Amino acid sequence: MNLRTWQALYNSLIALGIVMLVVAILINERHVVIMIVLGIGGLVIAIAGFILQLIFWKCPHCDKHLPTTGTFGMIRCPYCGNDLFK
Ligand SMILES: [Zn+2]
């Protein structure tokens, strides 16, 4: 998989995990089992997304790990200047 695919995958996992956590918080207290499953599932999915980001968010040219914040729209490596998605 290329960098853009990994980025889409871990961003999707993090977003899905956060949505599941919010739904778990907002769900009616009568559905405790669903609340627990959504809460724990959402936490595990979001953590998996963060772990994938830590592993695969690195420059394909110089192999340095890229910053995890302020990267929206980033197309060039801040370390070597090469195009990240080629
Ligand atoms: Zn680089």
Side-chain angles (χ1 to χ4, degrees):
M1 281 202 284
N2 64 23
L3 189 62
R4 196 177 294 278
T5 309
W6 281 113
Q7 188 182 33
L9 177 65
Y10 66 68
N11 280 336
S12 301
L13 288 175
I14 292 168
L16 176 65
I18 289 172
V19 167
M20 287 173 69
L21 279 171
V22 170
V23 170
I25 291 168
L26 296 176
I27 206 163
N28 193 310
E29 291 175 4
R30 288 181 298 162
H31 307 292
V32 175
V33 174
I34 297 171
M35 187 191 292
I36 291 171
V37 168
L38 278 175
I40 292 173
L43 199 61
V44 167
I45 288 172
I47 289 172
F50 283 117
I51 290 171
L52 284 178
Q53 183 182 31
L54 286 176
I55 295 170
F56 294 106
W57 183 235
K58 57 185 180 180
C59 176
H61 303 286
C62 67
D63 224 29
K64 286 188 177 172
H65 286 277
L66 298 166
T68 53
T69 57
T71 59
F72 188 76
M74 186 167 77
I75 56 171
R76 296 200 172 276
C77 173
Y79 305 111
C80 68
N82 284 311
D83 192 329
L84 290 172
F85 302 107
K86 276 192 176 173

